[in-house]
Amino acid sequence: GVAEKYIQTSNVYISPNYRNRDDEKNAAALLYYELSQTLTVTLEDISKYDKLIYPLLDLGINRVEYLSFSTSKLRVHRDEARLAAVKAAQEKAKLLTDAAGIKLGKPVNITEHSSQYRPSYGRYRGNYAVQNISQIDDSGADMLSDESSVSAGMISVSASVDITYEVQ
């Protein structure tokens, strides 16, 4: 049920496994080959996770590693964090200048310091944010059912700004 454009093979490993040599006269014997293939599957709807993962067992897949969840709305949430950081900086500057009896002038410089959580799960994950998410619909209800095996969390996005003001 996942469109081919959302499935990508990134690595294929084939490793021979040998029986140990008993002595120098007996050469090592090939026992079997181990195949490992890394796939990246993108789901647009996290509630379909169980319908994707459980049929993999029927295909003989016996290990699923490095699961990660991300959001396509990261920019929206970052912008909200930036606006909140600017508002907080303005309020703090006003509070401090009022307490010191100084008149706050116009801003002359704004510098942003943003950060985000980027777990690697043991491998390099590229230059994008990844963490467990929870999908909430417009009513505020969690879109994951109680029967889902996905343990969703929240993405933490923060921003920090420095604003330099003229003082009078």
Side-chain angles (χ1 to χ4, degrees):
V2 178
E4 285 188 37
K5 69 180 183 177
Y6 295 120
I7 302 172
Q8 179 182 13
T9 301
S10 55
N11 295 303
V12 176
Y13 300 101
I14 301 174
S15 303
N17 285 279
Y18 297 93
R19 177 185 54 150
N20 290 337
R21 296 182 348 184
D22 296 333
D23 58 45
E24 290 190 27
K25 293 180 183 178
N26 295 326
L30 177 65
L31 295 174
Y32 59 90
Y33 288 95
E34 183 176 343
L35 170 67
S36 174
Q37 181 175 1
T38 302
L39 296 175
T40 299
V41 178
T42 301
L43 287 177
E44 292 183 307
D45 181 357
I46 195 170
S47 68
K48 296 181 180 178
Y49 171 82
D50 287 342
K51 292 177 184 169
L52 168 73
I53 206 75
Y54 288 121
L56 295 177
L57 300 172
D58 295 333
L59 295 174
I61 294 174
N62 60 10
R63 187 170 65 215
V64 176
E65 297 177 344
Y66 307 111
L67 289 175
S68 62
F69 300 93
S70 62
T71 179
S72 60
K73 297 181 182 178
L74 184 59
R75 174 64 191 263
V76 171
H77 300 303
R78 276 186 163 172
D79 288 348
E80 288 173 3
R82 289 175 177 123
L83 292 174
V86 168
K87 183 178 178 186
Q90 291 170 329
E91 290 171 354
K92 186 175 182 180
K94 176 91 171 93
L95 176 74
L96 295 174
T97 54
D98 285 353
I102 300 171
K103 186 174 179 187
L104 189 62
K106 67 178 184 176
V108 293
N109 187 37
I110 300 176
T111 305
E112 178 198 12
H113 310 280
S114 64
S115 63
Q116 66 191 74
Y117 182 72
R118 291 183 181 167
S120 66
Y121 301 107
R123 290 190 182 181
Y124 176 71
R125 291 311 232 181
N127 194 21
Y128 54 90
V130 180
Q131 189 172 358
N132 286 340
I133 65 168
S134 178
Q135 291 188 347
I136 307 297
D137 67 15
D138 291 335
S139 71
D142 194 330
M143 293 172 62
L144 295 176
S145 68
D146 291 337
E147 295 86 36
S148 176
S149 63
V150 178
S151 177
M154 300 294 282
I155 291 177
S156 174
V157 179
S158 64
S160 174
V161 297
D162 293 328
I163 302 178
T164 304
Y165 289 92
E166 291 179 345
V167 291
Q168 301 169 351

